[in-house]
Amino acid sequence: MLARLTVHFPFQPTRSFLVEGGGERVIGRDPDCDIVLDDDRVSRRHARLIQDEGAWRLHDLGSTNGTSLEGRPLQDAVLGERGWISFGGLLARFERSSPDREGEESRRREERIRTSISLQRGLDPSLGLPRLLERVLESVLQLSGAERGVVLLRTAEGGLEVAARRDVEEEELGGSATAIERAASTGRPVAISDVRTDPLLRDRESVISGDIRALICLPLHVFERPIGLIYADSRKPGTSFGELDVEILEAMAAHAALAIVMARVDRELKGLAARLPDAASELAHARALLAGEDA
């Protein structure tokens, strides 16, 4: 028998643990645990997952913050086909699995990687900066499954300005400012698969009014120099950003950042070339004036 435990860490991608039947697995914060959950709310040895005689059981090991199943505290309980578990406040989704289901999931992952490579090839700087930014946003939304998003680029003063958007107004970003600021300051992606469980975001008015369920924020940098961010969110229940999802999107963001810089340079060079005839004419005129004065 197989089971999968998908853990929703705050500000991080979800982590998925495939558990094989037989014996038991200790879950906790201690590095020696079978399933390590690095979160301060989780005790060092928090709970034990046991598979025996065709059933999966969850047993609390006297944890400080307790364990609950579907919102109900437990000491020992039989797990069904699927269910939500809280390890001291850290949410996880338990689901029974099978070799066929895991094989299908593996095929979906491979297809997403192929799609990502294809989309990266379409990020051509020769499109021009405006069209390129639109395509970057389209690609991220397609890969992430999100419906809305923005591309934010650094200004000369070091701030961020909206350079492209899809179905989101600038003022709506206020509720997600914490995630954007975190991604900007750390230079690392921020992924939240269930905003309603995040204590820093769930009460934000724009999050509530927009019914945001999940969000992701990807830094854009070239040779460690930050040039902006891509933000996307989803209102669809069940949207989740796992480690593989974030890795794929990071690769997309890295390719996009380089294409954006190249498109910017191309635009500046074309602008300079367009000004050269005028500059040459002005220089010739100035030389003529100087020659007249010398005469």
Side-chain angles (χ1 to χ4, degrees):
M1 294 183 66
L2 296 173
R4 187 168 288 278
L5 190 67
T6 304
V7 185
H8 295 263
F9 292 95
F11 288 113
Q12 298 178 40
T14 59
R15 289 195 64 192
S16 189
F17 301 89
L18 182 63
V19 185
E20 295 183 359
E24 59 184 47
R25 304 291 187 277
V26 176
I27 302 168
R29 200 174 71 251
D30 193 303
D32 290 332
C33 289
D34 301 299
I35 298 176
V36 179
L37 304 181
D38 189 12
D39 188 288
D40 290 341
R41 294 168 291 181
V42 178
S43 295
R44 295 183 65 82
R45 290 173 58 86
H46 196 104
R48 181 180 287 116
L49 183 62
I50 307 163
Q51 193 277 316
D52 185 38
E53 297 182 355
W56 290 93
R57 301 185 67 88
L58 187 65
H59 179 78
D60 184 83
L61 296 175
S63 62
T64 301
N65 295 321
T67 304
S68 63
L69 175 64
E70 302 293 355
R72 298 177 180 177
L74 68 81
Q75 180 58 43
D76 187 86
V78 175
L79 301 175
E81 186 70 21
R82 60 184 59 85
W84 284 99
I85 301 169
S86 171
F87 297 103
L90 180 64
L91 284 182
R93 179 74 167 170
F94 172 86
E95 293 179 290
R96 294 194 183 204
S97 190
S98 67
D100 288 344
R101 185 180 299 179
E102 293 302 320
E104 180 61 31
E105 182 62 29
S106 178
R107 286 188 288 273
R108 282 197 293 266
R109 288 195 293 267
E110 291 173 1
E111 179 60 31
R112 294 194 65 198
I113 292 172
R114 287 194 293 269
T115 300
S116 173
I117 293 171
S118 175
L119 290 173
Q120 287 181 41
R121 289 172 180 159
L123 302 183
D124 187 344
S126 66
L127 290 169
L129 190 59
R131 179 65 187 121
L132 173 63
L133 292 173
E134 290 177 6
R135 184 164 292 184
V136 166
L137 191 52
E138 289 171 0
S139 299
V140 169
L141 293 179
Q142 181 176 338
L143 280 177
S144 66
E147 304 97 59
R148 315 187 310 163
V150 295
V151 178
L152 302 161
L153 294 182
R154 293 278 183 187
T155 64
E157 295 75 25
L160 290 168
E161 64 179 6
V162 175
R165 74 179 78 213
R166 173 72 61 83
D167 296 332
V168 59
E169 298 301 324
E170 192 166 354
E171 56 270 18
E172 293 182 276
L173 295 175
S176 305
T178 301
I180 292 172
E181 290 167 1
R182 187 179 182 90
S185 63
T186 64
R188 297 181 60 82
V190 167
I192 302 177
S193 293
D194 193 344
V195 175
R196 296 170 301 170
T197 66
D198 191 285
L200 296 178
L201 295 177
R202 65 187 178 196
D203 296 328
R204 295 292 185 94
E205 183 179 348
S206 59
V207 169
I208 297 171
S209 62
D211 195 24
I212 297 174
R213 298 296 186 95
L215 65 83
I216 189 164
C217 196
L218 300 158
L220 293 169
H221 43 78
V222 175
F223 303 122
E224 299 184 358
R225 182 173 69 88
I227 67 165
L229 297 159
I230 303 173
Y231 167 89
D233 64 35
S234 175
R235 303 173 184 179
K236 295 184 296 187
T239 302
S240 179
F241 301 117
E243 290 179 305
L244 178 64
D245 300 314
V246 175
E247 287 178 14
I248 290 173
L249 288 166
E250 277 190 290
M252 172 67 71
H255 192 92
L258 186 58
I260 289 168
V261 168
M262 292 175 66
R264 277 177 158 178
V265 170
D266 183 63
R267 184 176 64 177
E268 291 172 3
L269 288 175
K270 287 179 179 178
L272 179 61
R275 292 194 298 271
L276 282 176
D278 292 337
S281 176
E282 291 173 4
L283 180 59
H285 182 63
R287 284 175 174 170
L289 290 176
L290 288 173
E293 290 176 1
D294 291 341

